[in-house]
Amino acid sequence: MTDLPLDQVRTLLAVVDEGTFDAAATALHVTPSAVSQRVKALEQRTGRVLLLRTKPVRPTESGEIVVRFARQLARLERDTRSELGMNGDGEPTRVTVAVNADSLATWFLPALTRVPREPPFCFELHREDETATAELLREGLVMAAVTSSPDAVTGCSVRSLGSMRYFAAAGPRFAAAFLDGMPLGEGLARAPVVTFDRRDDLQDAFVRRLRRGPDGASRLRHAVPTSEGYLDAVEAGLGWGMVPEVQASRLLAEGRLVSLAPERPFDVPLFWQQWKLDSPALAAVATAVAATAAQALRS
């Protein structure tokens, strides 16, 4: 492949971020025709279709690669200006990170407080299931992610953070009403269950492991898409669910939740993936995240 003209790369990124060619033209202070010509020229140069001309436009798989390169290039430019003292007075360094809800509700925010305050940082967090955060990296939407995947996204490095431990739990009244008098695996396969969203497979995985079969939790399920709300729903008796040990330990100790299988914890390994850039901002965040995870997660 020949070189990629930077004005064409930046134009492609603007179209993706703005959603339309007209909006990108406004952002770049050029005509829509100029935007279209640059994108077409870049597609001809790469020999690939880079954009799906939908509303809003979406990058193709090849387009995602170029978009990720454009974001990394912008990050390097900002870091270079900062090191040369060319940033505007007090201009913060923006760091985008994808993180799962349970980490966000427990140990991740304390990690960000450990990042040095000089130079100033501005964090933009994207909440997503740990099985899907790597996809945001792949699409170039974030610079780093807490993910359950040990397989590095192309152009990214990966390091282990430790494991978040979960227990199957329920409110005492719920457990007495739905689970007494039958094998736990059979009861959990029939009882109402609380999930985070439709992609949340943790409860199903626990039941499959418990029963050693292909069937998961009951189809009678309630989706509660916040970590705190999820815990409240389980405590209130809406259903049983897999609760993080670090988040639910007080409720378990007080008897407001009961652990349904205390001898069967479910550990979810977490990893830190980030762009392979010589970026002081990314390095500072990674150091703080790794140090906090070492204290909060199981090794």
Side-chain angles (χ1 to χ4, degrees), residues 146-161:
V146 176
T147 173
S148 61
S149 174
D151 301 320
V153 172
T154 302
C156 294
S157 62
V158 58
R159 72 164 75 175
S160 174
L161 294 175

Side-chain angles (χ1 to χ4, degrees), residues 12 50 59-69 135 138-140:
L12 182 76
L50 302 176
T60 63
E61 186 174 344
S62 297
E64 289 175 356
I65 296 173
V66 180
V67 167
R68 186 169 64 242
F69 165 68
E135 190 61 32
R138 191 171 290 108
E139 294 172 0

Side-chain angles (χ1 to χ4, degrees), residues 201-264:
D201 186 55
L202 191 57
Q203 288 68 219
D204 295 300
F206 179 76
V207 173
R208 287 193 294 266
R209 179 183 294 184
L210 195 64
R211 304 186 73 189
R212 299 182 181 178
D215 296 330
S218 166
R219 292 184 179 180
L220 179 52
R221 52 186 66 199
H222 310 283
V224 183
T226 68
S227 188
E228 297 83 354
Y230 182 96
L231 194 63
D232 290 342
V234 174
E235 182 190 0
L238 200 60
W240 73 275
M242 302 298 293
V243 299
E245 176 187 36
V246 64
Q247 193 179 23
S249 56
R250 180 176 58 85
L251 298 179
L252 290 168
E254 294 174 355
R256 294 159 61 186
L257 286 178
V258 294
S259 180
L260 304 176
E263 75 288 355
R264 288 179 175 269

Side-chain angles (χ1 to χ4, degrees), residues 97-104 126-138 142 144-149 164 166 195-204 224-227 230 242 268-271:
V97 183
V99 58
N100 61 304
D102 289 337
S103 292
L104 187 59
H126 297 248
R127 189 191 65 190
E128 186 56 87
D129 186 84
E130 64 270 13
T131 61
T133 49
E135 190 61 32
L136 299 184
L137 265 178
R138 191 171 290 108
V142 296
V146 176
T147 173
S148 61
S149 174
M164 179 166 278
Y166 291 80
T195 65
F196 189 81
D197 56 27
R198 292 186 177 184
R199 289 193 292 184
D200 180 8
D201 186 55
L202 191 57
Q203 288 68 219
D204 295 300
V224 183
T226 68
S227 188
Y230 182 96
M242 302 298 293
V268 176
L270 295 178
F271 301 87

Side-chain angles (χ1 to χ4, degrees), residues 86-99:
M86 296 172 61
N87 275 351
D89 293 339
E91 181 181 347
T93 298
R94 189 169 68 98
V95 179
T96 54
V97 183
V99 58

